[in-house]
Structure formats: structure tokens, C-alpha cells
Amino acid sequence: MYDPSHLEDQIERIYDEYYRDVYRFLICFTGSRNDAEDLTQEVFIQVLKSLPKFNQQYRLKTWILTIARNVAVDHFRRNKFSLIFKEGFFAALVSKDDNPDQLLETKEQKEVIHRAISKLKPNYRAVLILRGINELSIRETADILNVSEAKVKVDYFRALRKLQETLKFNIEEGIEHAK
């Protein structure tokens, strides 16, 4: 994989191929486009620095997403008192084809979901993003998180259950307030 004579071409190819995966993971983890952009750049700087040490027995995508996860967790630790999912991220995802009532309802639903996801423990959030949003396999998720496949299965199940409980509570609370 690593060839010092073609390093610039390799980095450009790696960046082009994996930028979206890294950015999507980081925007889901941080909830901020600005943070995701900054952290994506940080990930690829680390990839550039570490490429000579890359162990080819691993998949490159798994290795890069492991770096992204570590960068995200470090960012979370530095900013653990701020909100993980900031306002505006989900609002940018709203379809332009809906009428105003549908837009408001969709926005409210997304806000409820992002609040519920932001309340998950970081390891549950990471598993949920990798498995549920990025649709990685259990093996790939385990490699990225540096845990066993059984731990991925358990954490994913618990994250979904916790998310379901939180969302059910919010829906029931909303119904109660509507009466």
C-alpha cells in the first residue's frame, strides 16, 4: 500500500475514496457541519502521518474509520459539556417539497430524534452511527471500535432499546401535553 514515491497520488486517492464515509460518521457523531469538516481534515492529517505504519492485513476503510472514531471521541471528551447534536444540523436535511405543516412536523421529529441520540453514551452513539447509519458490518464495526463482535451486537441492541425508550417517552409526553 505505502509507496513513498507515489505518496501524493495515494493520499489523493484515499481522500477521494473515503472522505464521504469519514465526514458522514463525524457529522452524525458531532451534529455540527463545522466540527465535522474540521475533524475530517484532522483525520486525514493523521492518515497522512500514519500511512507508513499502516498494517495491510486490515482493510483501509476500517483503519481510517478507526482514526475517525478516535478523533471524534477525543473531540467529545474536549467538549463533553456542550451539546453533541447542535441545532441546525437536522434542519438542513428537510426536503423542500413539503408544505409548511409537513416541514414543521418533520423538523420537530428530527429534533426529538437528535436529542434522543445525543443522550446516548458515546459508545452506544458510535455503534448506532456505524451500524445503523453507515450500515457497516458487525465485524467492521468491531474493528473500528476495537471491541469484540459480541460487544457490538450487545451495544447496538442496547442503543436501539435506549433510543426506543427515549422516543416512546417523548411521544407519550407529547400526547399527555396535547390533552
Side-chain angles (χ1 to χ4, degrees):
M1 175 72 202
Y2 176 69
D3 180 0
S5 63
H6 299 342
L7 182 61
E8 192 172 320
D9 292 338
Q10 287 177 307
I11 290 298
E12 188 174 327
R13 183 189 59 75
I14 289 169
Y15 184 85
D16 289 344
E17 189 169 338
Y18 298 107
Y19 171 83
R20 282 186 166 186
D21 293 325
V22 170
Y23 180 75
R24 185 171 47 194
F25 172 79
L26 291 170
I27 200 164
C28 289
F29 198 92
T30 66
S32 164
R33 290 176 190 254
N34 290 336
D35 288 346
E37 289 169 2
D38 292 344
L39 294 175
T40 299
Q41 295 307 314
E42 188 176 326
V43 167
F44 284 102
I45 289 169
Q46 288 188 23
V47 167
L48 175 63
K49 289 178 181 176
S50 303
L51 191 58
K53 297 179 253 174
F54 172 63
N55 183 342
Q56 292 186 20
Q57 85 181 49
Y58 299 106
R59 290 187 52 214
L60 185 60
K61 180 178 181 177
T62 302
W63 180 69
I64 291 171
L65 285 174
T66 300
I67 292 171
R69 185 205 116 220
N70 292 337
V71 166
V73 168
D74 289 345
H75 174 76
F76 173 73
R77 286 181 184 144
R78 287 190 305 264
N79 300 302
K80 66 181 174 182
F81 296 110
S82 67
L83 288 174
I84 300 307
F85 283 84
K86 295 180 176 58
E87 305 282 5
F89 166 66
F90 287 100
L93 299 178
V94 174
S95 169
K96 307 296 184 235
D97 299 331
D98 294 332
N99 70 40
D101 290 337
Q102 290 171 323
L103 290 174
L104 181 60
E105 185 176 332
T106 301
K107 181 180 181 198
E108 289 171 354
Q109 289 171 344
K110 288 179 180 180
E111 286 174 0
V112 167
I113 292 169
H114 92 37
R115 278 195 305 272
I117 291 171
S118 72
K119 291 178 183 176
L120 294 174
K121 297 189 311 186
N123 58 317
Y124 287 0
R125 190 175 330 121
V127 167
L128 189 68
I129 292 168
L130 291 170
R131 292 277 300 133
I133 297 173
N134 286 2
E135 299 178 348
L136 296 180
S137 70
I138 293 170
R139 166 88 330 271
E140 289 171 319
T141 303
D143 289 345
I144 290 166
L145 298 177
N146 197 27
V147 297
S148 70
E149 290 182 30
K151 174 109 172 100
V152 168
K153 291 176 187 177
V154 168
D155 283 356
Y156 186 61
F157 173 77
R158 288 179 179 166
L160 289 173
R161 189 173 63 201
K162 184 71 174 163
L163 191 62
Q164 181 182 20
E165 288 170 7
T166 303
L167 291 174
K168 181 180 178 190
F169 176 76
N170 286 340
I171 290 168
E172 288 173 356
E173 183 179 280
I175 291 170
E176 227 9 78
H177 290 297
K179 290 181 180 178

